[in-house]
Amino acid sequence: MIDHIVTGFGAALSAENLLWCFVGVLLGTVIGILPGLGSATGVAILIPITLTFDPLTALIMLAGIYHGSQFGATITAILIATPGEASSVVSTLDGYRMARQGRAGPALAISALGAFVSAMVSLFALASVAPFFARLALDFGPPEMLAVMILGLCTIVVFSGRNLPLGMGLGLAGILIACIGIDVGSGTPRYTFGQIDLFGGVPYVEVMIGLFAVGELLNQLHLGMAEPIRARFCDLLLTKEDIKRATPATARGTVVGFLLGCLPGAGTTLASFMAYGAEKRFSRNRKKLGTGAIEGVVAPDAATNAASNANFVPTLVLGVPGGATTAVLLGAFLIYGIQPGPLLFENQPTLVWGLLASFFIGNVILLLLNLPLAPLFAQLLRIRYAILYPLIIVTSLIGAYSVKNSMLSVWIVIVFGLVGYGMKRLGLPVAPLVLGLVIGPLFEKALVQTSALGEGAVLPQITGSNVALGILCLALLLVVGPVLVKAVRGRDSSESTGDERVPATADGATDATASDVVTSAVAASPNESSLDTPNPDRTPSQERQP
């Protein structure tokens, strides 16, 4: 394998390939910043430009666009709550709050560093164990994918805060919205109201722009125009505490992202949500997530980057796309006369290992390009909101229109912008709705395929797979585990306190035990785990204008 790696770097480090790798990363960053485009659209648009290139050079440039767009989408998610891709939605939850607290620089910097570290680790794993994971992915049929989707839906428990029924209801609403379009099983339209543009379903990119960008903008206008954030340069730098907290979150995000990215069709969005869910379970600062915690930024970004690299495992070894962007890249392979599959590593080792080596080079270029620019990007928040808000709304609407060149996309942004505004005013969590919307189509597809395999019977197909049963047990543990832990802790607490009572007050009230007082205090405290509560009080640098 060492010989192949050396050959790959020798091919990728040529002057021409380095130039086009840089161009691809730069274009990808710009594409990611523009709402509505995304990596899949950017790659598809630029494929014709690469038709005259050498196949390796063309693939290196397209892969650079793929990786660059991931970070570009995070920039707007953190700065203006406008995720450029669905995988960047989770970064908005804590990243934008960090920006509002004057810490946009550290949020962008830790995102770039976490993505770089996860890329290096996942690429090493990709080069080392790609054949093993490819064989493992072969065992993942529809029943196993259905179990994975159920596990993904169970993370709604994590995003629901303390109001689980509300979170489940919002997740169900997201799944119902995802049902709009052509029925996977019968091919008949559902809930399209005669709109041909809705046959392909409600486009989630436009929904994300509406819920987050427009919804947040309307909410800020309701609160009143604020002064721009005035952060000193030293406030834009990472501290030792930031790095200490981000290190384990990066490791967890990398593992989750790589494992899910190896599954055909799983993509990067599910990985980012699952990584955030892992932080809500295992992070020492899990109660701070949703309030501007650095773990909530670095974990999903690390998972996204690891999953984007792992998506090439099924793409290169099996010829099955790992996600939407790799599906477009798979078409590019065929255009260049390259047939992905088990024999690709043997028949064209220079091309494969040169492409993998370019991933290392592209991520180094991405880090060197964007890390020094993080403070510069953060200075966008110094623009007066009377100027910045109109730019955000215009950019969002243009980005939505550019997806399909349709005014329907613009109306979807406006409608879901109002929905997002209403949810923020009511303190409802947006994440369960988004999770249901994203996983809904994947869940339905896996359910229909599993049902077809069993001739209408789903349960025998699942019980006949040890892998599927194991994943479902994990999903059950995710739902039931916290309840059991809470019950055990409550029992231990009651046993330790016994019937010890609070000393009598002047009024002679002695009815409440010590545990009752603690329980009442907890119940009266604000919901720290809520991810989408209304904005906290403004900092002194954000006082309202007179």
Side-chain angles (χ1 to χ4, degrees):
M1 187 181 72
I2 300 298
D3 294 337
H4 289 314
I5 293 176
V6 172
T7 301
F9 273 99
L13 287 173
S14 68
E16 182 181 12
N17 289 338
L18 280 176
L19 173 63
W20 288 110
C21 183
F22 174 80
V23 171
V25 167
L26 182 61
L27 287 176
T29 304
V30 175
I31 289 170
I33 290 175
L34 297 175
L37 284 182
S39 57
T41 304
V43 170
I45 291 174
L46 294 175
I47 282 179
I49 299 177
T50 65
L51 293 179
T52 58
F53 293 0
D54 177 79
L56 177 58
T57 304
L59 291 174
I60 286 176
M61 177 184 170
L62 296 177
I65 294 171
Y66 183 23
H67 291 105
S69 64
Q70 303 290 339
F71 184 75
T74 304
I75 292 174
T76 53
I78 291 174
L79 295 182
I80 57 176
T82 308
E85 302 219 26
S87 58
S88 301
V89 167
V90 192
S91 304
T92 307
L93 302 178
D94 283 273
Y96 182 65
R97 293 180 188 268
M98 287 185 67
R100 297 293 301 172
Q101 297 163 8
R103 305 203 69 220
L108 291 170
I110 202 65
S111 174
L113 286 172
F116 175 76
V117 172
S118 70
M120 296 298 104
V121 174
S122 60
L123 286 171
F124 178 79
L126 174 62
S128 304
V129 298
F132 168 76
F133 276 102
R135 289 193 296 270
L136 183 65
L138 281 174
D139 296 331
F140 268 75
E144 290 76 17
M145 289 303 299
L146 177 61
V148 171
M149 293 306 120
I150 293 175
L151 175 62
L153 288 174
C154 286
T155 57
I156 289 177
V157 175
V158 174
F159 290 98
S160 300
R162 295 179 183 177
N163 197 334
L164 180 57
L166 176 63
M168 294 179 64
L170 291 171
L172 179 61
I175 294 175
L176 292 177
I177 294 173
C179 289
I180 297 174
I182 298 295
D183 177 33
V184 177
S186 63
T188 57
R190 296 178 305 193
Y191 316 123
T192 57
F193 305 103
Q195 292 287 336
I196 298 178
D197 291 333
L198 289 177
F199 279 18
V202 176
Y204 56 76
V205 173
E206 288 92 316
V207 174
M208 305 309 161
I209 293 173
L211 285 175
F212 288 92
V214 179
E216 179 63 29
L217 184 145
L218 294 176
N219 187 47
Q220 292 297 327
L221 290 176
H222 176 87
L223 294 174
M225 296 295 288
E227 287 290 340
I229 297 172
R230 302 294 182 185
R232 299 169 299 174
F233 183 80
C234 61
D235 297 329
L236 304 177
L237 302 178
L238 289 169
T239 64
K240 291 183 179 179
E241 179 65 19
D242 290 334
I243 297 175
K244 180 180 178 181
R245 290 173 55 181
T247 300
T250 302
R252 286 188 289 264
T254 301
V255 173
V256 171
F258 187 79
L259 292 177
L260 287 176
C262 290
L263 303 180
T268 57
T269 304
L270 179 61
S272 64
F273 275 94
M274 294 289 284
Y276 196 94
E279 291 307 299
K280 290 290 288 184
R281 285 285 179 259
F282 303 111
S283 175
R284 291 184 177 180
N285 299 291
R286 52 185 174 272
K287 291 185 178 180
K288 296 181 180 179
L289 288 175
T291 63
I294 203 164
E295 295 90 343
V297 177
V298 69
D301 287 341
T304 298
N305 222 31
S308 65
N309 291 323
N311 279 171
F312 283 91
V313 171
T315 303
L316 295 176
V317 182
L318 302 178
V320 178
T325 307
T326 48
V328 178
L329 286 171
L330 187 62
F333 273 91
L334 300 177
I335 291 175
Y336 305 136
I338 303 169
Q339 180 60 54
L343 299 179
L344 182 62
F345 281 79
E346 296 181 9
N347 295 338
Q348 295 182 291
T350 302
L351 184 140
V352 173
W353 291 101
L355 179 62
L356 295 180
S358 76
F359 295 171
F360 285 94
I361 298 169
N363 278 280
V364 171
I365 294 174
L366 190 62
L367 181 68
L368 296 177
L369 183 66
N370 289 304
L371 189 59
L373 294 178
L376 179 61
F377 287 133
Q379 297 308 306
L380 289 175
L381 296 175
R382 298 173 66 94
I383 302 175
R384 295 186 65 84
Y385 294 123
I387 300 174
L388 186 60
Y389 285 170
L391 290 177
I392 294 174
I393 192 67
V394 169
T395 303
S396 299
L397 295 179
I398 292 176
Y401 180 81
S402 65
V403 175
K404 295 182 179 179
N405 293 329
S406 171
M407 279 301 297
L408 180 63
S409 297
V410 176
W411 286 113
I412 290 175
V413 169
I414 294 174
V415 169
F416 279 94
L418 295 174
V419 172
Y421 168 69
M423 295 180 71
K424 287 180 181 295
R425 297 312 307 160
L426 296 173
L428 302 179
V430 179
L433 177 67
V434 174
L435 188 60
L437 181 63
V438 170
I439 297 183
L442 300 175
F443 173 77
E444 181 186 15
K445 180 181 178 182
L447 180 62
V448 170
Q449 291 176 340
T450 304
S451 177
L453 285 176
E455 297 181 353
V458 175
L459 190 59
Q461 295 296 315
I462 294 179
T463 55
S465 170
N466 294 330
V467 175
L469 286 176
I471 296 173
L472 289 179
C473 289
L474 182 60
L476 181 63
L477 183 63
L478 183 65
V479 176
V480 179
V483 179
L484 295 178
V485 171
K486 185 177 180 180
V488 171
R489 286 180 177 176
R491 185 180 63 183
D492 293 342
S493 176
S494 63
E495 290 176 354
S496 62
T497 56
D499 290 331
E500 180 182 353
R501 297 187 179 274
V502 179
T505 63
D507 298 330
T510 58
D511 292 336
T513 63
S515 59
D516 294 333
V517 174
V518 173
T519 303
S520 300
V522 172
S525 64
N527 183 359
E528 293 179 347
S529 63
S530 176
L531 301 181
D532 293 283
T533 54
N535 282 350
D537 294 337
R538 298 185 187 277
T539 60
S541 63
Q542 297 171 283
E543 292 295 329
R544 301 181 191 278
Q545 295 180 8

